């Protein structure tokens, strides 16, 4: 008999069964009724459906002997088996046959239906049997009602869940727990709390559900209060609390890392051992904050709790050591792992890539039998980082599972090496799967390659496509730092949602262009629209006041920072105020502010005062400030240059020579002035004294012509900033060949009349060149926009936007 059963089962497992085969097997079963069993019947039904003979399955079940067909336990078993196999055809065949044989289903059977419907998320299946339950009169069964409540809760149908709960004849702890959970999941925390407070009996699940409710709406304090009141804390309670803190972003602040350690220790003191999820979460926090000592201590704890073979934890440790730049320990963890899954391999590739071990990363990549998109993306990033874009593209092309991250990594790689044509090709090929990161990568590529207008065009296209930028500030800051800031204002005004980064970018941009009053106007708009300013806002605002000579306004905003807006002044804000006071000639007030600062003044603060000393020719204070600066950074050549310029402006040539000798002894050098200009999509750079440019002779001749026209306008060179003790004619020649003048001459020669000339210089422009630019803009009727190290200058009709205040 056993042999026959084995033979029938093996035959039923054959893939190519025909109806005739099924009939033959059915005949054997009918001839030996004792063979019938739930496994045999289930296998027979499955074979009928697999061989596309569902009608025969019905026929088989409808002809079962009464010894089986009348047993509720038989139908209960066979129906549950069909649900476990996730075969709804088998299920309905069995259910309908049960109804045909008038076998009475019980409430527990329907409860399993609702559990299955909740598991697969099938509203139709669950609601169908809700109707059946009502018809059979089981709708007052507590267990069944709880299962129905859980079903509606898990498919997110709050209305039906509340209706079932309200109609329950009796509510046990489990039903109340389910309702608390569904109310919290949908944001009805107060309703959940009313139900929670009204429960006479609470178990650990009740308390944990209420804690979760508060975390879901971001009420961390209430969640902690409920947790502390919980008299039946278990391991799940601690997991809920720690996970809630983590997901709320509380532990994303490094200042709160100590609270995580405290929670962990409190859990240990309560006599409960941590599980993998808690340890894994703490390891991730250690990696994120580079908490090396804590991470290593936790590594020891993982061994103590015997989790050393857990793949997830070991991968977390590997990632931790990689992020704290301890590649040796990362390798050791990886080598000691008894089992390495694809996540662990990916983490190791990423670690090797980060530390430049490209060959080792490639060898590991080649050895992996299973690879996913993350694997390929790690290698693409690895090669892009070292500039090997060809190898990165080879990996990209060989990736059979490209996702949007793959495309973004490759586009970003091309942009970083300046190959915009290939980046654009991929950007256009990616189609509809591109996300905000894709757009930002391409926009950043344009900005990086100084294709500012194309960056702006793409940003507008991005807005038209209704893609929400994740980093509007990146584009706006870039545009605000280039010459087309007017278009940036237009883009800003058209933004549907303006966050703090957008407001800050536009205020800082206006400040750099010298439009102090407009910057203040935008600040007022920002406050009126309910946006609270932060420290960056005030840096922009104070710079705007400083660059525009708005002294009373700057003092007012500085005084209001903490008292009105609750923003603590930082070192940058004091630097702005020193600059504002110093530029206006209030050198003593600036020095007094430095002396009264609650923070230790840095080189930026002293440097601001030194520039003011140069502007107002205060040699005595300039020498004191320079000494302070040299104590802070003795190798900064700019400090010597400022002091030399100050001496030169007063014709103190011995002091100039002493300063130059000190520079030589200290091994520091003056950074040469360099100016660049873009003409016909080609960037030309000029350094004073460099004769390598192909048009060198023509530029020299043109500079002479410019000099003659400027003299006709009454121009007299300011030779005060020339280092050397040489005669006036030589000094005049020296300032005439500063790099920005060469760049402007080249622009006048090679661009059509009326076109704006745009120049970028690496140093602050000197007083004489500033005067010359104003005159050139008037004589040649050209607008000149020059970006020096400090700010933008817009020269039009003999006037500069900075109002000679820079």
């Amino acid at each position: 008999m056993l042999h026959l059963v084995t033979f029938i089962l093996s035959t039923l497992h054959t893939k190519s069964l025909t109806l005739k085969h099924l009939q033959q097997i059915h005949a054997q079963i009918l001839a030996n009724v004792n063979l019938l069993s739930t496994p045999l019947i289930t296998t027979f039904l499955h074979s009928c459906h697999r061989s596309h003979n569902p009608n025969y399955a019905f026929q088989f079940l409808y002809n079962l002997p009464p010894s089986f067909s009348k047993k509720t336990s038989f139908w209960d078993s066979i129906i549950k088996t069909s649900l476990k196999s996730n075969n709804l055809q088998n299920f309905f065949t069995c259910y309908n046959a049960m109804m045909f044989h008038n076998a009475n289903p019980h409430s527990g059977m329907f409860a399993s239906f609702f559990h299955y419907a909740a598991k697969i998320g099938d509203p139709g299946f669950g609601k169908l049997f809700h109707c059946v339950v009502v018809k059979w009169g089981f709708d007052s069964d507590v267990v069944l009602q709880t299962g129905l409540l859980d079903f509606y809760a898990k498919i997110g149908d709050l209305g039906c869940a509340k209706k079932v709960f309200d109609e329950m004849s009796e509510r046990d702890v489990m039903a109340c727990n389910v309702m608390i959970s569904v109310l919290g999941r949908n944001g009805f925390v107060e309703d959940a709390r009313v139900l929670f407070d009204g429960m006479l009996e609470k178990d650990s699940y009740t308390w944990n559900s209420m804690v979760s409710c508060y975390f879901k709406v971001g009420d961390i304090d209430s969640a902690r209060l409920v947790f502390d009141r919980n008299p039946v804390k278990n391991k799940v309670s601690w997991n809920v609390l720690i996970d809630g803190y983590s997901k709320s972003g509380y532990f994303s602040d490094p200042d709160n890392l100590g609270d995580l350690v405290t929670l962990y220790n409190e859990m240990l003191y309560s006599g409960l051992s941590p599980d993998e999820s808690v340890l894994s979460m703490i390891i991730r926090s250690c990696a994120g904050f580079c908490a090396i000592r804590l991470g290593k201590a936790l590594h020891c704890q993982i061994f103590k709790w015997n989790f050393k073979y857990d793949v997830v934890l070991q991968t977390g440790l590997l990632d931790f050591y990689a992020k704290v730049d301890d590649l040796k320990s990362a390798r050791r963890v990886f080598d000691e792992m008894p089992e390495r899954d694809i996540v662990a391999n990916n983490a190791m590739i990423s670690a090797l890539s980060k530390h430049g071990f490209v060959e080792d990363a490639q060898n590991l990549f080649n050895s992996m039998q299973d690879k996913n998109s993350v694997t390929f993306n790690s290698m693409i990033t690895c090669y892009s980082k070292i500039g090997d874009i060809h190898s990165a593209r080879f990996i990209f092309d060989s990736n059979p599972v490209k996702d949007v991250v793959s495309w973004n990594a490759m586009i970003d790689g091309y942009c970083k090496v300046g190959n915009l044509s290939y980046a654009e090709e991929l950007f256009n090929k990616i189609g509809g799967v591109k996300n905000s990161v894709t757009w930002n990568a391409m926009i950043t590529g344009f900005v990086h390659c100084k294709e500012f207008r194309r960056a702006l065009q793409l940003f507008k296209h991005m807005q038209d496509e209704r893609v929400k930028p994740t980093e509007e500030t990146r584009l706006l800051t870039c545009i605000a730092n280039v010459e087309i800031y007017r278009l940036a204002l237009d883009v800003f005004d058209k933004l549907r949602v303006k966050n703090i980064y957008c407001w800050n970018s536009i205020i800082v941009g206006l400040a750099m262009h010298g439009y102090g009053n407009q910057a203040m106007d935008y600040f007022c708009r920002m406050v009126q629209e309910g946006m609270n300013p932060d420290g960056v806002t005030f840096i922009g605002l104070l710079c705007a006041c400083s660059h525009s000579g708005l002294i009373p306004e700057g003092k007012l905003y500085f005084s209001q920072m903490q008292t009105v807006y609750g923003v603590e002044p930082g070192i940058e804000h004091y630097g702005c105020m020193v600059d504002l006071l110093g530029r206006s000639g209030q050198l003593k007030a600036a020095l007094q502010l430095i002396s009264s600062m609650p923070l230790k003044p840095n080189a930026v603060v002293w440097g601001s005062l030194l520039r003011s000393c140069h502007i107002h020719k205060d040699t005595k204070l300039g020498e004191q400030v320079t000494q302070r600066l040299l104590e802070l950074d003795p190798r900064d050549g700019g400090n010597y240059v400022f002091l030399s310029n100050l001496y030169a402006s007063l014709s103190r040539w011995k002091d100039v020579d002493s300063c130059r000798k000190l520079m030589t002894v200290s091994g520091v050098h003056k950074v040469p002035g360099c100016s660049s200009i873009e003409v016909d999509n080609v960037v030309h750079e000029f350094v004073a004294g460099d004769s390598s440019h192909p048009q060198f002779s023509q530029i020299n001749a043109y500079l002479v012509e410019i000099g003659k026209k400027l003299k006709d306008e009454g121009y007299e060179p300011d030779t005060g900033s020339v280092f050397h003790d040489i005669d006036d004619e030589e000094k005049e020649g020296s300032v005439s060949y500063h790099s920005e003048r060469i760049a402007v001459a080249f622009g006048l020669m090679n661009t059509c009349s009326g076109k704006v000339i745009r120049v970028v210089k690496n140093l602050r422009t000197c007083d004489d060149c500033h005067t010359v630019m104003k005159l050139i803009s008037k004589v040649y009727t050209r607008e000149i926009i020059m970006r020096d190290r400090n700010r933008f200058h817009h020269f039009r009709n003999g006037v500069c936007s900075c109002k000679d205040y820079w």
Side-chain angles (χ1 to χ4, degrees), residues 18-87:
T18 64
L19 178 59
K20 186 176 181 179
H21 291 138
L22 293 170
Q23 290 170 337
Q24 290 172 346
I25 295 170
H26 190 186
Q28 286 184 323
I29 293 173
L30 291 176
N32 300 274
V33 179
N34 292 335
L35 296 177
L36 278 175
S37 65
T38 301
L40 181 61
I41 293 171
T42 304
T43 306
F44 188 88
L45 294 175
H46 181 65
S47 298
C48 290
H49 287 290
R50 193 179 60 198
S51 60
H52 307 292
N53 290 287
N55 292 332
Y56 198 74
F58 281 101
Q59 185 179 344
F60 175 78
L61 285 174
Y62 291 165
N63 290 288
L64 284 172
S67 59
F68 274 88
S69 62
K70 296 300 181 183
K71 288 182 179 178
T72 302
S73 59
F74 162 73
W75 291 108
D76 188 46
S77 175
I78 198 168
I79 284 175
K80 285 183 178 178
T81 302
S82 67
L83 288 177
K84 284 181 181 178
S85 66
N86 203 26
N87 190 323

Side-chain angles (χ1 to χ4, degrees), residues 736-749:
S736 297
Y737 289 93
H738 281 185
S739 63
E740 59 265 53
R741 297 199 196 185
I742 302 172
V744 169
F746 178 81
L748 290 170
M749 290 168 51

Side-chain angles (χ1 to χ4, degrees), residues 292-347:
I292 299 175
R293 291 180 62 185
L294 177 59
K296 288 184 175 181
L298 202 65
H299 191 170
C300 297
Q301 290 285 314
I302 288 170
F303 269 84
K304 176 184 176 182
W305 295 111
N306 203 27
F307 290 125
K308 60 183 177 181
Y309 298 119
D310 185 277
V311 175
V312 175
L313 276 177
Q314 293 300 310
T315 304
L317 284 170
L318 192 162
D319 183 63
F320 159 70
Y321 283 119
K323 286 181 177 174
V324 300
D325 292 331
D326 188 348
L327 184 61
K328 183 179 178 182
S329 295
R331 281 182 185 268
R332 188 173 66 249
V333 170
F334 183 75
D335 292 339
E336 292 176 355
M337 290 177 74
E339 180 186 347
R340 299 168 190 156
D341 60 8
I342 193 169
V343 178
N345 284 324
N346 288 345

Side-chain angles (χ1 to χ4, degrees), residues 176-196 205-220 222-224 226 240-241 244:
C176 291
N177 288 347
V178 172
M179 200 61 215
I180 287 173
S181 180
V182 70
L183 286 168
R185 196 179 306 132
N186 288 273
F188 293 92
V189 181
E190 292 305 319
D191 292 343
R193 185 59 190 257
V194 170
L195 176 57
F196 174 85
Y205 189 95
T206 317
W207 291 92
N208 297 343
S209 296
M210 201 61 234
V211 171
S212 292
C213 285
Y214 280 120
F215 272 124
K216 281 185 175 69
V217 295
D219 190 347
I220 297 175
S222 296
R224 184 58 194 263
V226 173
V240 167
L241 181 70

Side-chain angles (χ1 to χ4, degrees), residues 265-281:
N265 288 331
E266 286 179 6
M267 181 181 181
L268 297 181
Y269 293 149
S270 71
L272 294 170
S273 59
D275 62 10
E276 299 93 321
S277 61
V278 169
L279 292 170
S280 182
M281 194 271 292

Side-chain angles (χ1 to χ4, degrees), residues 347-640:
M348 195 64 223
I349 286 177
S350 179
L352 291 167
S353 166
K354 179 183 178 183
H355 292 83
F357 291 90
V358 181
E359 187 176 346
D360 291 349
Q362 181 69 63
N363 290 338
L364 178 55
F365 176 85
N366 294 339
S367 70
M368 290 173 64
Q369 292 184 345
D370 295 322
K371 300 181 180 76
N372 60 14
S373 186
V374 176
T375 320
F376 286 93
N377 297 342
S378 296
M379 286 308 304
I380 292 169
T381 305
C382 182
Y383 280 115
S384 296
K385 193 179 292 182
I386 63 170
D388 187 353
I389 202 66
H390 299 296
S391 296
R393 183 58 187 265
F394 177 80
I395 297 291
F396 174 80
D397 289 338
S398 62
N399 181 2
V401 285
K402 295 182 185 71
D403 58 13
V404 68
V405 180
S406 313
W407 291 88
N408 291 347
M410 200 65 236
I411 290 169
D412 184 61
Y414 275 128
C415 287
K416 282 178 178 173
V417 298
N419 200 330
L420 292 181
S421 59
Y422 282 101
E424 274 192 285
E425 179 187 347
L426 291 181
F427 181 82
N428 294 327
K429 277 185 180 179
I430 191 175
V433 299
K434 63 169 71 81
N435 59 15
S436 55
V437 178
T438 321
W439 290 89
N440 283 331
M442 198 68 238
I443 290 170
T444 304
F446 282 133
V447 172
H448 179 72
C449 296
K450 299 184 180 180
E451 296 279 354
F452 302 118
R453 292 186 181 277
R454 295 180 72 186
L456 184 59
Q457 289 168 358
L458 190 60
F459 180 76
K460 286 184 175 179
H461 186 195
M462 184 182 184
Q463 294 289 82
D464 293 340
E465 294 288 324
R466 297 187 178 276
V467 179
K468 183 180 180 181
T470 55
E471 296 179 88
E472 298 99 329
T473 183
R474 173 179 286 180
L475 176 70
L476 287 170
T477 301
C478 290
I479 295 175
N481 278 281
V482 298
E483 304 80 356
I484 50 177
Y485 79 99
R486 287 172 190 85
L487 293 175
L489 294 177
D490 183 58
V491 171
F492 175 83
D493 290 333
K494 288 179 180 177
L495 283 174
R496 290 181 291 275
V497 178
K498 302 178 180 70
N499 57 25
I500 185 67
Y501 307 109
C502 298
W503 286 104
N504 287 348
S505 297
I506 216 68
I507 290 171
V508 170
L510 287 166
M512 292 186 70
H513 285 276
Y515 295 99
N517 288 313
Q518 290 93 322
M520 290 192 296
D521 290 342
Y522 273 89
F523 175 78
C524 292
R525 276 181 56 188
M526 173 185 180
V527 175
Q528 288 169 2
E529 293 185 21
M531 182 65 67
N532 294 323
D534 62 9
V536 178
T537 316
F538 280 101
I539 290 174
L541 200 57
L542 295 174
C543 282
C545 294
S546 177
H547 286 163
S548 302
L550 302 171
I551 313 304
E553 292 85 350
K555 289 180 176 179
L556 176 65
Y557 285 127
F558 185 73
S559 67
Q560 290 180 340
M561 277 184 66
Q562 193 166 16
T563 57
V564 177
Y565 299 102
V567 178
E568 184 77 25
I571 192 73
E572 301 90 348
H573 304 102
Y574 281 100
C576 291
M577 283 305 296
V578 169
D579 189 59
L580 179 141
L581 294 169
R583 285 175 187 273
S584 64
Q586 301 179 46
L587 298 178
K588 288 185 179 179
L591 184 60
Q592 185 178 356
L593 178 63
I594 294 175
S595 302
S596 63
M597 279 172 55
L599 305 165
K600 183 180 179 180
N602 60 12
V604 175
V605 174
W606 286 113
S608 296
L609 184 56
L610 180 59
R611 283 191 294 272
S612 298
C613 292
H614 174 69
I615 292 169
H616 298 287
K617 296 181 171 52
D618 190 329
T619 314
K620 184 177 180 181
L621 181 57
E623 288 175 325
Q624 296 174 14
V625 173
T626 303
Q627 187 58 43
R628 292 292 185 92
L629 281 165
L630 293 178
E631 290 172 4
L632 289 171
D633 188 359
R635 302 194 62 78
D636 186 351
N639 299 328
Y640 296 95

